Amino acid sequence: MTNATGCTDEAPYLRIAAEIRRRIGEGELAPGERVPSTRQIARDWGVALATATKALTHLRLEGTVETKPRVGTVVAAPVARSRRRAPVPSSGALSAPPPEQDLTLDRIVRTAIDIADTEGLSALSMRGVAARLGVGAMSPYRYVTGKDDLILLMADAAFGEKFYPAVIPNGWRARLELGARTLWTLHQRHPWLAQLSSLTRPLLLPNLMVHGEWSLSALDGHGLATTELFDIHVLLFSHVQGLAVHLEREAQAEAATGQSEDQWMDSRAHTLQGLADSGRFPTFTKVVRSFDDGYDLRLDTLFELGLKALLDGLTPVIEGGGRSHG
């Protein structure tokens, strides 16, 4: 619809949704392929993140796109689109706002986690959460004071998704392995967790303390000085966090450059070749040229390798009652 000046009166989010829908219909975006993220939409269309979120929500509600954890928003399969919900109105609100009593703190937190998982923590905003929920922009503020408060609630909920068995494994090593792998799984599921704090300023969250208690209790009773015991606990956590931080950074880099990890490396093949040909780095050159199909950096493999190396090295310290007894 146009007004007297010939300009469209259609809401910005509907114009964006229509353009993405056109790309899908004409085959520019195939089933399973990622559609523009909220950050890309905000940049390319010059709109706020809340408007970008509203456009994707509109497409999601009608079944045109779907959200996949750690992948993002993708074009829905044809079967899924054929079974989509009733069409969303083309004007006005996305849908009638749910009654106020239907909006809960848990819904707000879970919606925010979904946004952070699929779009990245930088895409999270209070307005975006409200748009995804289909409520007024200020409604979430009745439950949380702001974004910082919401992120802490998200982190606590995420760390609380996995706990430990009532039957405790035998031996300190088995317990530390289980604790480290549990934290690694949670960080893989929610890559943004590694971005929230440093070792010097840790998150003081009840559900994160559960994991800390598991690690500390595994080390307790072996004659370690308390400082040494806590140092080992921090070292193991830093191994998990130090690798997990790259999960979100890679997603951010891909969104910013439009290049996958492989594409980015390919674009720098000439620079890499120049370093190898310089003769200044003979060992590096020998190693790199020994790879048949290049080096595939696998964080899971590095995590297991590092965990084994740490625990192997700590075994004489823990079983010997600490450095002072070594």
Side-chain angles (χ1 to χ4, degrees):
M1 183 176 72
T2 58
N3 59 27
T5 63
C7 297
T8 181
D9 287 333
E10 192 174 40
Y13 81 88
L14 290 173
R15 293 199 299 272
I16 296 168
E19 171 60 18
I20 295 174
R21 194 184 299 109
R22 180 195 65 78
R23 296 181 187 178
I24 294 171
E26 295 181 0
E28 293 180 33
L29 293 170
E33 189 174 349
R34 287 185 63 178
V35 301
S37 67
T38 53
R39 284 171 287 188
Q40 289 175 287
I41 291 173
R43 181 179 64 245
D44 296 346
W45 272 273
V47 297
L49 285 172
T51 301
T53 300
K54 201 172 182 180
L56 291 179
T57 301
H58 183 82
L59 293 169
R60 188 180 297 108
L61 288 175
E62 70 180 19
T64 303
V65 302
E66 58 185 345
T67 301
K68 293 188 175 181
R70 297 191 64 210
V71 175
T73 303
V74 302
V75 178
V79 173
R81 293 205 297 272
S82 67
R83 297 175 180 171
R84 67 192 181 202
R85 301 181 186 183
V88 178
S90 60
S91 61
L94 287 178
S95 60
E100 286 298 324
Q101 62 266 26
D102 288 347
L103 184 62
T104 64
L105 179 59
D106 182 67
R107 285 188 64 211
I108 292 169
V109 170
R110 286 297 161 189
T111 298
I113 288 175
D114 182 58
I115 292 173
D117 286 348
T118 57
E119 301 290 344
L121 195 62
S122 61
L124 180 69
S125 69
M126 295 293 285
R127 284 183 173 273
V129 172
R132 179 76 68 91
L133 287 166
V135 299
M138 300 304 294
S139 295
Y141 286 98
R142 293 192 292 107
Y143 297 87
V144 291
T145 59
K147 182 178 175 179
D148 290 344
D149 183 27
L150 177 58
I151 288 175
L152 290 178
L153 292 170
M154 292 163 55
D156 195 47
F159 280 120
E161 289 178 358
K162 288 184 74 68
F163 289 105
Y164 297 98
V167 179
I168 299 175
N170 291 325
W172 64 266
R173 180 163 184 146
R175 293 176 66 182
L176 290 180
E177 286 176 340
L178 178 58
R181 289 181 182 131
T182 298
L183 283 169
W184 178 242
T185 297
L186 290 173
H187 280 82
Q188 288 181 301
R189 185 183 297 173
H190 308 293
W192 46 272
L193 284 174
Q195 311 293 324
L196 300 184
S197 66
S198 65
L199 290 179
T200 55
R201 301 188 181 192
L203 294 172
L204 301 178
L205 302 171
N207 283 329
L208 180 55
M209 289 294 292
V210 170
H211 301 283
E213 179 68 18
W214 178 266
S215 174
L216 292 171
S217 63
L219 292 166
D220 193 25
H222 289 84
L224 299 169
T226 52
T227 299
E228 191 171 37
L229 183 151
F230 208 82
D231 283 347
I232 294 172
H233 159 63
V234 172
L235 180 63
L236 289 169
F237 183 80
S238 72
H239 174 57
V240 176
Q241 187 186 52
L243 285 175
V245 74
H246 299 289
L247 296 167
E248 179 85 341
R249 285 181 179 175
E250 172 54 29
Q252 291 171 344
E254 184 170 341
T257 64
Q259 293 179 313
S260 68
E261 178 187 349
D262 290 339
Q263 290 171 327
W264 186 88
M265 286 300 299
D266 289 343
S267 70
R268 284 150 180 79
H270 179 73
T271 301
L272 186 62
Q273 187 64 45
L275 290 171
D277 291 343
S278 69
R280 297 174 57 198
F281 315 104
T283 306
F284 170 80
T285 301
K286 179 183 70 174
V287 171
V288 169
R289 286 180 174 170
S290 71
F291 299 133
D292 294 331
D293 298 311
Y295 174 69
D296 184 16
L297 192 151
R298 302 177 301 277
L299 291 181
D300 280 322
T301 301
L302 290 178
F303 168 76
E304 290 294 340
L305 178 64
L307 180 62
K308 182 179 184 302
L310 278 172
L311 296 180
D312 285 350
L314 288 169
T315 295
V317 176
I318 296 171
E319 296 186 352
R323 285 188 293 262
S324 61
H325 296 80

